[in-house]
Amino acid sequence: MKAARLYGKEDLRIEEVPEPTPGPGQVKLRNEYTGICGSDLHYYFFPEALPWDVNEPHPLTGAALPQILGHEFAGTVVEVGDGVEDVEVGDRAAVYPLIVSCGKCAACQRGLYFSCKLMAALGSNAPGGGLSEFTVAPASALHLLPENVDLRLGALVEPMAVGWHAVARSGVKAGGTALIAGAGPIGIGAWFAFKAQGVDKVLVSEPSADRRAIMTSLGATVVDPVNDDLATVIAEFTDGAGVDVAVDAAGAGAAITSALAGLVAGGRVVVVSLHEHPMEFQPTMLMMGETEIVGAVGYEPEEFDAVIAAMASGFYDTTGWVQEMPLTDIVDALHALRQGTGAKILIKTG
């Protein structure tokens, strides 16, 4: 089968590799679509910025370079291993990629498995990945798709769950107000999640004209933080109160500081984006407003199911922001996303 395997920085190759065989408790999927994530860009362009050494075998999974990439994927079950009872050949599913953590550290003891330093996910630091024709995964990692959620949407469940988790971490209530900084896939996912959870008054801040146009076409209220006065727009948007919550999906320090300045007293900023550079801010603004900054990483299994249910209810629309490319164009896709072209690219692997 064909697979995209990473050998090192800016060295990703399409190769023929043996098809995997499912073991006990596992299933074999024919992958249909796999999304490219911001962490895939870090793997390819800046592996040194990742929280683990990609050049060393993972201590729990043994995964090492070359590694098949792709942790946002969906496919159809073509074979089941011994002991699998709740999944059948022909089932369509999105894959929950985190398959192991240490189970012993403080993060694991608190149920924060994505914060475990030894967490491992398919398509990153566990064998296998979505950027291949077939993948073996634990049957327990599959989240089955209802008939009205196709595999294209299924491949978007993972990134949309990241946005869903960020909204959950914000603590916002239905009828509240929100700011999203950054209209990439995670920002788009947060916007859909706010809408699905009854938060309709959402302002999206995005410097890219193309991405502002995408959000406008989806029905969002957008602002250009470079050429417009964001503080004034937020004040007008909220009748001077400030937004209840803000989501940093931009990965830029300016996004956090401007979001903090636009919060209502007692508001919260959620950081859900990787930052390549450190930032400075004035902590006094936190004290005076009793505001908060919290992090959000990954998602819970039930948030996967919540996204799938919201997709089935029609809350998600891929019009204008999802592009498809063949597996052979994966390197071109990585460079296009690095340059800020488009919003979301799904690689057609099936």
Side-chain angles (χ1 to χ4, degrees):
M1 69 172 185
K2 288 184 171 58
R5 296 209 296 172
L6 183 73
Y7 279 79
K9 185 171 183 177
E10 298 189 51
D11 186 3
L12 184 65
R13 309 174 194 175
I14 306 298
E15 298 182 323
E16 286 287 340
V17 299
E19 286 188 22
T21 300
Q26 294 182 324
V27 299
K28 179 180 177 180
L29 287 169
R30 179 186 294 277
N31 301 325
E32 190 69 25
Y33 293 100
T34 300
I36 301 176
C37 175
S39 59
D40 293 322
L41 298 183
H42 278 78
Y43 256 109
Y44 185 74
F45 291 104
F46 302 105
E48 63 274 11
L50 292 166
W52 55 79
D53 187 348
V54 299
N55 295 305
E56 294 294 329
H58 189 277
L60 297 182
T61 68
L65 298 180
Q67 167 71 41
I68 297 175
L69 294 185
H71 60 274
E72 304 177 356
F73 63 104
T76 303
V77 177
V78 295
E79 187 178 348
V80 299
D82 292 340
V84 175
E85 298 179 352
D86 297 330
V87 178
E88 299 178 350
V89 171
D91 282 345
R92 300 172 311 111
V95 180
Y96 188 94
L98 190 150
I99 61 169
V100 68
S101 60
C102 78
K104 301 175 182 178
C105 68
C108 286
Q109 293 301 306
R110 289 172 175 244
L112 302 175
Y113 304 111
F114 274 91
S115 297
C116 174
K117 293 181 179 179
L118 294 181
M119 63 81 75
L122 296 167
S124 57
N125 52 1
L131 287 173
S132 57
E133 293 180 278
F134 298 94
T135 299
V136 161
S140 58
L142 269 59
H143 289 248
L144 302 185
L145 302 174
E147 289 185 5
N148 65 337
V149 176
D150 62 21
L151 287 169
R152 193 168 183 264
L153 272 175
L156 294 171
V157 171
E158 196 275 352
M160 296 300 97
V162 174
W164 193 281
H165 184 63
V167 170
R169 289 283 287 151
S170 78
V172 69
K173 305 297 183 184
T177 59
L179 168 71
I180 298 172
I186 303 307
I188 293 173
W191 187 78
F192 283 124
F194 276 125
K195 296 293 183 179
Q197 297 179 48
V199 180
D200 293 319
K201 202 169 179 61
V202 183
L203 179 66
V204 180
S205 172
E206 170 56 58
S208 164
D210 288 343
R211 288 185 170 180
R212 287 198 306 274
I214 289 170
M215 294 308 302
T216 299
S217 70
L218 291 172
T221 302
V222 300
V223 58
D224 179 354
V226 176
N227 296 305
D228 298 330
D229 187 331
L230 181 59
T232 298
V233 174
I234 292 174
E236 293 174 349
F237 189 69
T238 61
D239 295 325
V243 291
D244 297 323
V245 299
V247 172
D248 161 37
I256 295 178
T257 53
S258 60
L260 283 170
L263 286 179
V264 71
R268 177 180 289 181
V269 173
V270 180
V271 179
V272 70
S273 183
L274 286 169
H275 283 240
E276 293 179 7
H277 306 288
M279 62 166 289
E280 294 184 2
F281 74 99
Q282 173 51 270
T284 301
M285 71 174 69
L286 297 179
M287 179 196 75
M288 294 302 296
E290 290 204 353
T291 49
E292 302 175 344
I293 304 175
V294 301
V297 61
Y299 30 72
E300 301 291 339
E302 55 267 27
E303 289 171 328
F304 248 54
D305 293 329
V307 168
I308 292 171
M311 287 177 170
S313 296
F315 281 104
Y316 288 79
D317 181 0
T318 62
T319 304
W321 65 278
V322 178
Q323 176 186 359
E324 295 180 21
M325 297 179 72
L327 182 62
T328 52
D329 289 350
I330 179 63
V331 172
D332 290 341
L334 289 166
H335 282 271
L337 289 173
R338 178 64 183 166
Q339 293 164 9
T341 302
K344 187 66 180 179
I345 295 177
L346 293 182
I347 299 298
K348 186 78 164 63
T349 51

